[in-house]
Amino acid sequence: MADVQLKSVSKVYGRNAVVNDISLDVEHGELLTLVGPSGCGKTTTLRIVAGFVKPTHGAVYIQGKDVTEIPPHRRDTGMVFQQYALFPHMTVQKNVEFGLAMRKVGARERNTRVGEALELVGLAHLKDRYPRQLSGGQQQRVALARVLVIRPKVLLFDEPLSNLDAKLRLEMRLEIRRLQQEVGITSIFVTHDQEEAITISDKIAVMNFGRIEQTGTPMEIFSRPATPFVADFVGTSNFLEGKLAAMEGDCAIFESAGGLRVRLGPSPGLAAGDNLVIAVRPEKIILAEPAALPGTENVFEGEVAETTWMGPLTQYLILLKPGNEKLVVKQQNLDTSRIFRKGEKVSVRWLPENCLRFKK
Amino acid sequence: MTAVDKAATKLRGKTPVLLVLPTFIHFCLFFIAPLCLLLVYSFYRFVPGGAMEETFVLENYAKFILDPYYRGIVRDTILLGAEVAFFTLILGYPLAYKLARTRSRFKGFLYLLVVMPLLTSAVVRTYGWMVILSRNGIVNSLLLKWGFIEQPLRLMYNRLGVVIGLTEVLLPFMTLALESVLRNMDPALEEAAHDLGANSLQTFLRVTLPLSLPGVATGSVLVFIMAISAFVTPTLMGGPQVRVLSTVVYEQALSLVNWPFSAAVAFTLLALVGVLIFVYNKLLISGKSWEVAQ
């Protein structure tokens, strides 16, 4: 049975459903990430699990028990806040001890467990400092130790990395994942950063406008997005709108509004005449000199409208002939690759199986 | 650069000084100077009949400090200040908390309600209290009617009246002092405490209250000082039998024309306030070590 379950949970403010009929299962020991743009309801969903927000409809179960009516302090969740929310008037030791003191754990055991928790995050030597004397990363670790020490039933992370600089963020991301796996506590992690979601999660739920668009493993979400929104939010995608022009055996031929004829991979369940949106990821597109690509399948001619050199990658904006449809292409900057300038003619190509298809 | 430009540049550097100059002169002329004069008076000798002998004696201070009657008044005054500070704290804290956390559209209006007592004149306010608290006032009539009491209670023209009146007038200072501290406190701190297993009372005692102590101190000191130096409210609400330091100063200076003694009492009051502010500053700095630690 799932460790945390949301059953048709909604939160309505006035006429605005911030969370709209969400159902979710988080298995024991699993790290599930709620990801989505700001205002999609992911933080509200997390706060519903913690008990800070009471759902308008639906129920929350933690380890099989209905906790919908139970106040936060009796839910046994451990939350890491965006701004860490360390108690500024307490030392690191006292901060970490807080949850144990509330649980009336004896002084001796308290001391040992605080010591262990601080050891786990590598801050044992700073236990007498006040939060303001610590760097952002260190405060983050204290916040982690503070929730780990109470061995909660669920760990909740509310965009915990958003206040750290880029490098530290990557480091802490791995650290959180390592600790979570070490202690094996079921976790829900909220972020707006899809890359963060992909790298640390066992399972991802992509949210938009208060609803879950898709739930799955990072790989499922990335390679088989269920909706155009997911295809664009997790990784990025080029979208082409149009119709299914013909079926050639198992494979479909798609014709875009701009007149491109694109061969799709095996497409069971589609019929000629269907309105479709197809998506192609920028990194799946090959770029070459005009007429230099072998074969004719999904090879198109175009012109470079914009070149952005990004270090390891170069990003191009290509205008495709004949319909001037825009295509973003990302190329690895290998020794052999050449950088195309604005205005140069190029040809592009992608494999039929790299076309994601969405019925309209 | 011409000479005029140079002069202008020079002047511009002094602009801040020039801007505060009028206030500074006003302050010196009408506050510091009379105060100095009063200090000198407090060492003169009183000659019955209203004159002063220009000498240097400590007898005014000695009389004030040694006479048990005046010592009693000092004690009463301090007690009054403490009581008023206590009641404003008890009444003001929930108010300040609500005000700091509310997301109501009427927030501005709520602030106005809080400071309303300050916008009313003391005389109007006191007449209002008379309607409510006097022998035939609303409170007494209701209590008599419902049979809780047989004789009207004395709610005014005594010490109780002064406490009620001062608590009302000074409540805004306490509320605003607390509110500013509570507003700047991250609500996530309270949520973190709840999340870690603290109930509402534990959260308040362990997190909210300790973090709001600077506001409690500021509000209490402010209210205490204003309560012990208040004159109008004790006179109007307390009547002739309530005596505090400020009424003694008034009575000595204007009824008995004993300026030296009156000045000595006034300076004792001032010294009391000075000591309090000094202690407050010391406490605030040591108490917030976690904040200045970095």
Side-chain angles (χ1 to χ4, degrees):
Chain A
M1 173 185 247
D3 235 19
V4 178
Q5 281 183 297
L6 300 187
K7 291 189 177 167
S8 327
V9 167
S10 298
K11 178 66 193 177
V12 183
Y13 291 106
R15 284 186 180 175
N16 188 12
V18 179
V19 173
N20 197 347
D21 195 20
I22 278 187
S23 294
L24 206 58
D25 285 356
V26 193
E27 302 299 328
H28 184 73
E30 189 174 67
L31 191 152
L32 175 128
T33 299
L34 295 170
V35 66
S38 53
C40 71
K42 54 191 190 299
T43 295
T44 308
T45 307
L46 191 77
R47 293 169 63 81
I48 286 174
V49 178
F52 299 136
V53 174
K54 210 177 161 242
T56 319
H57 305 288
V60 182
Y61 292 82
I62 295 178
Q63 296 186 348
K65 190 175 153 207
D66 185 349
V67 296
T68 319
E69 298 298 325
I70 290 180
H73 68 273
R74 289 200 275 118
R75 283 201 186 186
D76 220 358
T77 59
M79 182 135 161
V80 176
F81 292 81
Q82 195 169 6
Q83 323 267 1
Y84 322 133
L86 297 178
F87 305 124
H89 58 305
M90 298 182 196
T91 58
V92 168
Q93 166 94 20
K94 290 280 174 201
N95 262 284
V96 178
E97 217 177 346
F98 191 88
L100 296 177
M102 292 303 113
R103 283 164 176 72
K104 304 221 166 11
V105 173
R108 233 225 199 115
E109 189 189 342
R110 214 151 70 195
N111 241 322
T112 338
R113 278 170 69 176
V114 170
E116 283 167 7
L118 286 174
E119 205 66 59
L120 201 60
V121 297
L123 285 183
H125 58 296
L126 296 178
K127 67 182 171 59
D128 294 322
R129 295 269 187 98
Y130 284 95
R132 295 206 183 195
Q133 296 167 295
L134 303 177
S135 70
Q138 289 169 332
Q139 292 190 33
Q140 176 67 266
R141 284 162 203 268
V142 177
L144 269 169
R146 188 172 68 171
V147 292
L148 288 175
V149 77
I150 59 174
R151 297 169 194 158
K153 290 181 181 142
V154 198
L155 282 172
L156 304 171
F157 296 90
D158 184 11
E159 305 215 21
L161 304 177
S162 59
N163 280 319
L164 300 174
D165 60 67
K167 208 153 191 146
L168 198 55
R169 190 154 45 207
L170 297 185
E171 208 177 285
M172 282 308 294
R173 191 200 269 176
L174 295 174
E175 175 98 11
I176 287 180
R177 182 56 171 159
R178 175 182 70 80
L179 285 171
Q180 192 267 336
Q181 286 184 325
E182 214 168 294
V183 297
I185 299 176
T186 310
S187 303
I188 304 179
F189 192 101
V190 161
T191 179
H192 60 268
D193 182 342
Q194 48 94 14
E195 194 191 310
E196 205 166 284
I198 287 176
T199 44
I200 68 167
S201 316
D202 293 306
K203 211 155 78 182
I204 295 178
V206 183
M207 290 185 69
N208 192 26
F209 292 121
R211 288 178 183 278
I212 292 181
E213 296 258 337
Q214 187 179 3
T215 311
T217 64
M219 215 176 273
E220 279 167 4
I221 296 274
F222 190 79
S223 45
R224 290 197 299 281
T227 64
F229 174 81
V230 176
D232 199 35
F233 191 80
V234 181
T236 52
S237 289
N238 293 292
F239 290 100
L240 294 170
E241 293 193 26
K243 269 193 169 96
L244 201 73
M247 294 295 288
E248 287 183 1
D250 219 12
C251 294
I253 306 292
F254 165 87
E255 188 171 322
S256 78
L260 292 178
R261 283 178 78 87
V262 182
R263 175 178 284 272
L264 309 181
S267 317
L270 291 180
D274 283 351
N275 283 322
L276 278 189
V277 175
I278 67 164
V280 189
R281 299 217 182 259
E283 64 275 10
K284 299 284 190 195
I285 300 171
I286 302 157
L287 196 62
E289 310 277 347
L293 288 169
T296 51
E297 201 174 61
N298 291 352
V299 176
F300 305 102
E301 301 297 314
E303 189 184 307
V304 176
E306 209 177 278
T307 303
T308 314
W309 191 79
M310 297 166 70
L313 301 171
T314 307
Q315 180 176 303
Y316 298 97
L317 181 67
I318 310 281
L319 291 178
L320 291 178
K321 282 178 210 164
N324 268 352
E325 275 160 316
K326 285 177 188 161
L327 200 65
V328 174
V329 180
K330 280 183 185 162
Q331 296 283 288
Q332 287 283 344
N333 288 336
L334 306 173
D335 284 344
T336 49
S337 52
R338 124 157 156 74
I339 310 261
F340 295 91
R341 303 278 155 210
K342 187 178 171 178
E344 280 188 71
K345 302 263 185 266
V346 289
S347 45
V348 297
R349 177 187 180 192
W350 62 85
L351 298 173
E353 56 268 34
N354 285 331
C355 296
L356 305 163
R357 308 168 278 283
F358 307 102
K359 261 192 185 171
K360 273 223 306 198
Chain B
M1 200 186 261
T2 66
V4 176
D5 282 342
K6 266 186 194 159
T9 315
K10 218 170 166 186
L11 210 60
R12 204 167 301 138
K14 296 215 169 73
T15 309
V17 178
L18 289 174
L19 283 175
V20 297
L21 202 59
T23 318
F24 181 71
I25 292 172
H26 180 269
F27 193 73
C28 286
L29 220 55
F30 299 109
F31 184 65
I32 305 285
L35 221 55
C36 292
L37 208 59
L38 215 58
L39 183 64
V40 174
Y41 282 180
S42 73
F43 295 108
Y44 285 176
R45 173 172 290 142
F46 173 62
V47 180
M52 290 185 284
E53 188 188 328
E54 296 186 14
T55 132
F56 183 86
V57 291
L58 292 171
E59 60 181 34
N60 300 309
Y61 288 97
K63 177 179 163 194
F64 181 66
I65 291 162
L66 296 177
D67 190 330
Y69 172 71
Y70 290 114
R71 276 216 302 265
I73 289 180
V74 173
R75 198 195 52 226
D76 280 358
T77 309
I78 291 175
L79 209 61
L80 178 73
E83 280 168 31
V84 173
F86 176 77
F87 287 121
T88 51
L89 181 63
I90 298 296
L91 294 174
Y93 205 107
L95 198 60
Y97 190 85
K98 197 72 203 161
L99 208 57
R101 291 279 185 272
T102 185
R103 293 210 202 128
S104 159
R105 285 182 291 149
F106 304 110
K107 197 166 181 161
F109 180 67
L110 294 177
Y111 275 99
L112 187 70
L113 279 184
V114 167
V115 297
M116 202 66 115
L118 300 177
L119 304 177
T120 336
S121 100
V123 178
V124 174
R125 218 163 40 223
T126 309
Y127 277 112
W129 280 123
M130 279 167 72
V131 173
I132 297 170
L133 298 178
S134 66
R135 273 182 74 85
N136 311 315
I138 296 170
V139 173
N140 272 322
S141 336
L142 285 179
L143 288 178
L144 280 169
K145 193 172 139 195
W146 291 333
F148 287 114
I149 50 170
E150 306 203 324
Q151 290 292 315
L153 298 171
R154 270 191 81 84
L155 301 169
M156 239 183 128
Y157 305 120
N158 56 10
R159 217 186 129 76
L160 180 63
V162 180
V163 173
I164 292 175
L166 283 177
T167 301
E168 188 212 8
V169 203
L170 300 179
L171 187 59
F173 294 100
M174 180 62 92
T175 309
L176 296 182
L178 290 170
E179 193 266 349
S180 78
V181 173
L182 290 169
R183 179 162 29 94
N184 290 323
M185 190 191 300
D186 184 0
L189 292 175
E190 286 168 356
E191 288 180 349
H194 280 304
D195 189 63
L196 292 167
N199 61 31
S200 300
L201 183 67
Q202 287 166 323
T203 302
F204 177 74
L205 291 177
R206 295 239 190 176
V207 177
T208 317
L209 185 62
L211 287 174
S212 65
L213 279 182
V216 173
T218 309
S220 305
V221 168
L222 209 62
V223 167
F224 181 85
I225 289 172
M226 286 194 281
I228 61 172
S229 37
F231 173 70
V232 179
T233 307
T235 314
L236 293 179
M237 298 283 293
Q241 11 144 305
V242 174
R243 279 158 180 257
V244 288
L245 286 177
S246 57
T247 51
V248 170
V249 174
Y250 176 82
E251 185 183 270
Q252 291 291 331
L254 288 148
S255 311
L256 306 171
V257 212
N258 187 345
W259 281 79
F261 184 64
S262 168
V265 178
F267 266 92
T268 315
L269 186 58
L270 196 65
L272 201 66
V273 170
V275 167
L276 199 69
I277 289 177
F278 179 77
V279 171
Y280 161 75
N281 274 327
K282 285 273 168 227
L283 281 181
L284 207 60
I285 288 167
S286 66
K288 290 212 291 182
S289 55
W290 45 268
E291 209 161 69
V292 284
Q294 193 153 13

